[in-house]
Amino acid sequence: MASEPTQTPQTGGSLSDRISTPADAAQSTEVSQDAAGESELQEPDYSVEVKLSDLQADPNNPLYSVKSFEDLGLDDRILKGLSDMGFRKPSKVQERALPLLMRNPPKNLVGQSQSGTGKTAAFVLNILSRIDLSTDLAQTTPQALILAPTRELARQIVGVVQVMGQFLDGLVIGTAVPADTATRPARMECSVVVGTPGTVQDMIKKRIMNPAQLKVLVLDEADNMLDQQGLGDQCIRVKGMLPRTIQVVLFSATFPAHVHRYAEKFAPDANEITLQHEELTVDGIKQLYMDCSSDEEKYSNLVQLYGLLTVGSSIIFVRTRASAAEIEKRMIAEGHTVASLTGGIEGSQRDAVIDAFRTGEAKVLITTNVLARGIDVSTVSLVVNYDIPEAYAGGSRSREPDYQTYLHRIGRTGRFGRIGVAISFVSNRDEWEMLRKIQQHFNCSIERIDTNDWDEVEDLIKRTLKNSRAQANFVAS
């Protein structure tokens, strides 16, 4: 990166003129020529590293790694559910995780794998293979608990359990998320519970949910769950209410070092599955950025992009609830169809918005980081970072990028090897510096879009999304 100018940059002109020039700026005009090239949009290719807590585990054992679901000795009804989901063989993460998850006696597992690699299916498969549905009492007694940071992710996981377990007679799934009113069931009569930590804690305290027979505890997006003070405290309290013999499974796309140290205490003596840090950037996502001279130009560019946003489905990430509400209001007033989802919206309304987005009734969703993690909508082809994700220190903005949130945000597109596009807007020195640091951190290329020619912008993005692999019917592998 060139040295920064000593004078305060003036408003107007490109950001590279006003602040600095990236090392690859000279190539930015060539983006359109090779954007859809095979060399730049490789399918994710990564190796899985396994750390065994039990030194007696035999890497030569045929179940150390599996090449087919049949190798696991699964119930035929579960195999049928997997087939209905489109799973033909285990993903690379599942090849190594499933034998460790399903071995007996059960062992704890800490798993780190990028979005779209099948980690949700892995822990659900483990749960369905362990629960007992042989009696009416067993079917209505909680035996597995899955905790997620948001109601949206909890509801999505419920959907995976429902589809994968649809042929299992007597499978009952309970959802423990905040309700709009004070109404609560008299008792959680189900074999699998999926919920958020605070609500589960409340239900156990009020004896609505009996944890005595729980066999498996899963934390999805575990780094976020254990790092956030409120959620972390709640997770600790919930775990303290559960049987000591419970199998603890932690899964996330990222595990910062300080959270990983804590995870080792939360899930003691655990087997570990990890991807190398530099392999975490999703290769199937074309990462771009737009220079904007002001916040108003950010909005103008977003409106210009609207036609592309509706080619498939798109998510626009903003920093605050107020920004989401303002952008939604302005775009609707100008005749554009958009939806907004933030943490300030009542639960049932949030459910309605995300359901409309999943079905395609709403194609453009404006949201805060509440949807940055875990949400998997296969039609999402474009993510816009209207505001660069920023880390907070002591409740205040740090002017430092939030690397993990950036990774999770762009991971909402390019799911399971599909092609996706992520566009970040930068309008001042702080945003430029944060984007530069993100590029350095992940050792990736984030290329500039020339907004002086919107026909060229449209052509670039459309050709990227129309790459043959983006349109192919994907089979999970």
Side-chain angles (χ1 to χ4, degrees), residues 68-88:
S68 74
F69 291 114
E70 287 77 10
D71 290 343
L72 294 164
L74 294 170
D75 187 306
D76 287 343
R77 295 171 298 175
I78 298 177
L79 290 173
K80 192 175 179 183
L82 282 167
S83 179
D84 261 30
M85 295 179 71
F87 285 92
R88 302 291 178 258

Side-chain angles (χ1 to χ4, degrees), residues 408-454:
H408 282 284
R409 280 184 180 184
I410 71 169
R412 296 314 97 217
T413 185
R415 306 291 287 175
F416 268 111
R418 297 182 179 94
I419 305 304
V421 174
I423 302 175
S424 298
F425 289 179
V426 288
S427 64
N428 55 52
R429 181 188 295 272
D430 288 337
E431 290 176 339
W432 172 260
E433 280 298 312
M434 287 192 287
L435 192 68
R436 183 182 64 82
K437 289 176 180 178
I438 286 170
Q439 183 168 265
Q440 289 181 339
H441 182 82
F442 291 112
N443 191 27
C444 63
S445 174
I446 305 177
E447 300 174 68
R448 181 174 178 267
I449 300 176
D450 184 1
T451 54
N452 291 320
D453 187 345
W454 279 98

Side-chain angles (χ1 to χ4, degrees), residues 252-318:
S252 184
T254 52
F255 271 110
H258 67 287
V259 180
H260 185 267
R261 288 192 293 271
Y262 185 72
E264 291 175 331
K265 297 178 181 179
F266 195 89
D269 196 31
N271 293 318
E272 294 186 35
I273 295 179
T274 58
L275 277 74
Q276 295 299 314
H277 167 79
E278 62 271 13
E279 294 177 315
L280 286 173
T281 297
V282 183
D283 292 331
I285 299 173
K286 187 73 174 175
Q287 298 175 69
L288 308 166
Y289 76 90
M290 286 187 178
D291 276 352
C292 307
S293 61
S294 63
D295 285 342
E296 186 59 32
E297 189 176 335
K298 272 189 179 183
Y299 177 76
S300 174
N301 285 349
L302 185 65
V303 172
Q304 286 276 9
L305 278 173
Y306 181 82
L308 294 170
L309 295 174
T310 55
V311 170
S313 296
S314 304
I315 302 178
I316 303 164
F317 285 105
V318 297

Side-chain angles (χ1 to χ4, degrees), residues 210-283:
N210 179 8
Q213 301 303 315
L214 285 171
K215 304 174 184 178
V216 185
L217 168 65
V218 176
L219 266 63
D220 196 14
E221 302 298 338
D223 65 328
N224 183 249
M225 300 275 275
L226 297 177
D227 197 25
Q228 284 192 13
Q229 185 173 357
L231 286 179
D233 291 344
Q234 292 167 351
C235 289
I236 293 166
R237 293 193 188 101
V238 169
K239 184 169 181 269
M241 299 172 175
L242 310 183
R244 289 195 165 196
T245 56
I246 199 165
Q247 180 188 29
V248 180
V249 179
L250 309 180
F251 261 116
S252 184
T254 52
F255 271 110
H258 67 287
V259 180
H260 185 267
R261 288 192 293 271
Y262 185 72
E264 291 175 331
K265 297 178 181 179
F266 195 89
D269 196 31
N271 293 318
E272 294 186 35
I273 295 179
T274 58
L275 277 74
Q276 295 299 314
H277 167 79
E278 62 271 13
E279 294 177 315
L280 286 173
T281 297
V282 183
D283 292 331

Side-chain angles (χ1 to χ4, degrees), residues 3-81:
S3 60
E4 293 183 357
T6 55
Q7 296 182 346
T8 303
Q10 298 180 5
T11 304
S14 74
L15 187 68
S16 55
D17 292 337
R18 289 181 285 121
I19 298 175
S20 56
T21 304
D24 60 350
Q27 299 175 20
S28 63
T29 56
E30 300 175 9
V31 174
S32 62
Q33 297 174 13
D34 56 13
E38 290 287 316
S39 61
E40 290 200 4
L41 293 172
Q42 298 297 316
E43 299 286 6
D45 184 19
Y46 52 85
S47 59
V48 180
E49 180 183 325
V50 178
K51 176 183 174 183
L52 298 174
S53 65
D54 183 0
L55 295 178
Q56 294 181 342
D58 180 10
N60 296 315
N61 186 299
L63 288 187
Y64 181 75
S65 178
V66 292
K67 295 300 181 184
S68 74
F69 291 114
E70 287 77 10
D71 290 343
L72 294 164
L74 294 170
D75 187 306
D76 287 343
R77 295 171 298 175
I78 298 177
L79 290 173
K80 192 175 179 183

Side-chain angles (χ1 to χ4, degrees), residues 93-110:
V93 168
Q94 291 165 352
E95 284 181 10
R96 306 303 290 273
L98 288 170
L100 298 176
L101 274 170
M102 297 174 64
R103 63 181 295 197
N104 286 307
K107 294 279 292 183
N108 295 341
L109 180 80
V110 175

Side-chain angles (χ1 to χ4, degrees), residues 383-420:
V383 164
V384 174
N385 288 308
Y386 191 85
D387 297 310
I388 303 294
E390 188 173 350
Y392 280 72
S396 301
R397 295 168 59 187
S398 67
R399 300 297 193 271
E400 288 293 316
D402 186 335
Y403 301 107
Q404 312 309 331
T405 296
Y406 177 84
L407 181 61
H408 282 284
R409 280 184 180 184
I410 71 169
R412 296 314 97 217
T413 185
R415 306 291 287 175
F416 268 111
R418 297 182 179 94
I419 305 304

